[in-house]
Amino acid sequence: MMALNVITASILAFVFMIILTPFFIPALKKFKFGQSIREEGPESHMKKGGTPTMGGIVILVSLILTMLVMTIWTGFSTELFLLLLVTIGFGTLGFLDDFIKIVKKRNLGLTSKQKLAGQAVIALIFFIVIYSGDFSTSVSVPATNFSIDLGFMYFFLVIFMLVGASNAVNLTDGLDGLLAGTGAVAFLAFAILAWIQGASDVAVFSFAIVGACLGFLVFNAHPAKVFMGDTGSLALGGAIAAIAILLGAELILVIIGGVFVIETLSVIIQVASFKLRGKRIFKMSPIHHHFELSGWSEWKVVTVFWSTGLVLAVAGIIIEVLI
C-alpha cells in the first residue's frame, strides 16, 4: 500500500507542476514579478534580470493539492500537520521576502531579524507539538549505538536545524536548476529512509516534494523560464529539516544535505576571511559563483553539484541504514 501511495504522490505533484506552471509564468510576468539581479554578481547573470520569480508559489500549491488528494484515503496525521506547518510557514516568509524585494525593486527583502522571528515562531510550534506527543527528543550518532535525550533542550536543535537548513538551501538557489536538482536528490534520499523506517506519511510527503522539484526543473533548467525565489527555497529548506527531525536523522542531514552545507560554509569562510585578513578565499560566494568565475559554464557547475549531491545522498543512506 505504501508503494502505491508514494508513487501516486510523486506523480500527482509532478503533474500538478506541469499543468500549473505554464499558467503561473504569464501571471508572474503580468504582475512584473521579475528577478532583480545583484550588481556585484557574475556579469553573465545580468541577462536573467526580469525572469519571473516567486515560482515557489507553484511548488507550494502543488504540494497542498497533492496532500489534499492523498489524505482522502490515507487520513491526516500529526506528522503531516508538522510538515505542512513548516513548509507553508517558511514558504510564506519567503513570499513576503520576495514580495518586498519586487515592490522595492532591489535585492533586499525582510530584515534578518524579521525573518528569524518568523522562523523561530514556526519552530516553537513545531517543537511544542513534538514535545507534547510521542516523538523522541533523542539524538543518535550515525554508525554508533550512542544517543542522548536532549529533552526540552531539543528545542534549540529544532530551531537551529530549521533556520540553518532554510538559509542554507536558500543560498544554494543561485543557478538555473541548481536547487531543484539537488533538492530532488536530497528529498529522494530522505524519502527512501522514511520508506525503510515505515514512516508512511513522511515518505509520501517526501516523494511528493521530489515530484514537485522535478516538475519545477522542467521550467527552471538552463535557460530558466522561472525562478523559485525565497518562496520556494525557504519552504524546501524548512521541509527537509522537518523531515530529518521526524525521522530521527538529524545528523544525517549534514551528509545528505552536504551541498547545502558546503554552500553555507563557503559564505561563512569568505566573510570571516575578509573581515579578519582583508582577503577573499573565493572569487565569489556562495561557492557555485566561484566556479562560474573560474571559467566553468553554468551547466557544468550545476551538473557537478547534482552529482556531488547524489554521492552524498547515497553515502547518507548507507551510513544511516547499513553501518
Side-chain angles (χ1 to χ4, degrees), residues 64-305:
I64 292 171
L65 291 175
T66 299
M67 290 303 103
L68 284 175
V69 173
M70 295 304 300
T71 53
I72 291 176
W73 67 79
T74 62
F76 195 76
S77 66
T78 302
E79 289 89 346
L80 186 55
F81 164 75
L82 290 170
L83 292 170
L84 289 172
L85 166 71
V86 171
T87 305
I88 297 174
F90 276 55
T92 301
L93 289 175
F95 173 82
L96 293 173
D97 198 39
D98 284 332
F99 187 77
I100 293 172
K101 290 177 185 177
I102 293 167
V103 169
K104 295 189 175 182
K105 298 298 180 183
R106 57 192 178 91
N107 216 38
L108 297 172
L110 292 173
T111 66
S112 57
K113 290 182 179 179
Q114 290 171 331
K115 194 179 295 185
L116 181 59
Q119 292 170 325
V121 170
I122 296 169
L124 178 60
I125 298 173
F126 185 94
F127 173 74
I128 290 173
V129 174
I130 285 181
Y131 198 67
S132 60
D134 296 327
F135 294 95
S136 173
T137 53
S138 294
V139 177
S140 300
V141 178
T144 72
N145 294 321
F146 179 78
S147 65
I148 180 172
D149 189 351
L150 298 179
F152 182 78
M153 296 297 292
Y154 192 77
F155 167 71
F156 296 102
L157 178 61
V158 168
I159 192 170
F160 175 77
M161 288 184 64
L162 292 178
V163 173
S166 63
N167 291 325
V169 171
N170 180 245
L171 288 172
T172 308
D173 186 27
L175 300 178
D176 296 356
L178 178 57
L179 178 53
T182 53
V185 170
F187 278 104
L188 178 59
F190 277 111
I192 292 172
L193 290 180
W195 174 294
I196 293 172
Q197 289 187 21
S200 58
D201 289 329
V202 180
V204 167
F205 188 82
S206 301
F207 272 105
I209 293 187
V210 173
C213 284
L214 293 177
F216 187 76
L217 187 58
V218 173
F219 304 93
N220 183 238
H222 186 71
K225 299 180 181 66
V226 63
F227 301 135
M228 68 172 67
D230 287 0
T231 307
S233 60
L234 290 183
L236 293 179
I240 198 168
I243 290 170
I245 292 169
L246 293 179
L247 293 178
E250 297 90 348
L251 299 183
I252 285 295
L253 176 59
V254 177
I255 299 174
I256 292 178
V259 170
F260 311 135
V261 174
I262 293 169
E263 294 274 28
T264 304
L265 288 177
S266 71
V267 174
I268 294 173
I269 292 171
Q270 184 85 323
V271 172
S273 176
F274 188 75
K275 286 187 175 181
L276 296 175
R277 307 187 309 130
K279 296 181 180 180
R280 293 179 172 86
I281 302 295
F282 307 106
K283 294 181 179 181
M284 184 176 290
S285 64
I287 197 170
H288 55 257
H289 290 319
H290 170 80
F291 290 111
E292 271 193 294
L293 295 178
S294 297
W296 289 23
S297 68
E298 184 169 352
W299 179 243
K300 180 178 179 180
V301 177
V302 170
T303 52
V304 168
F305 274 54

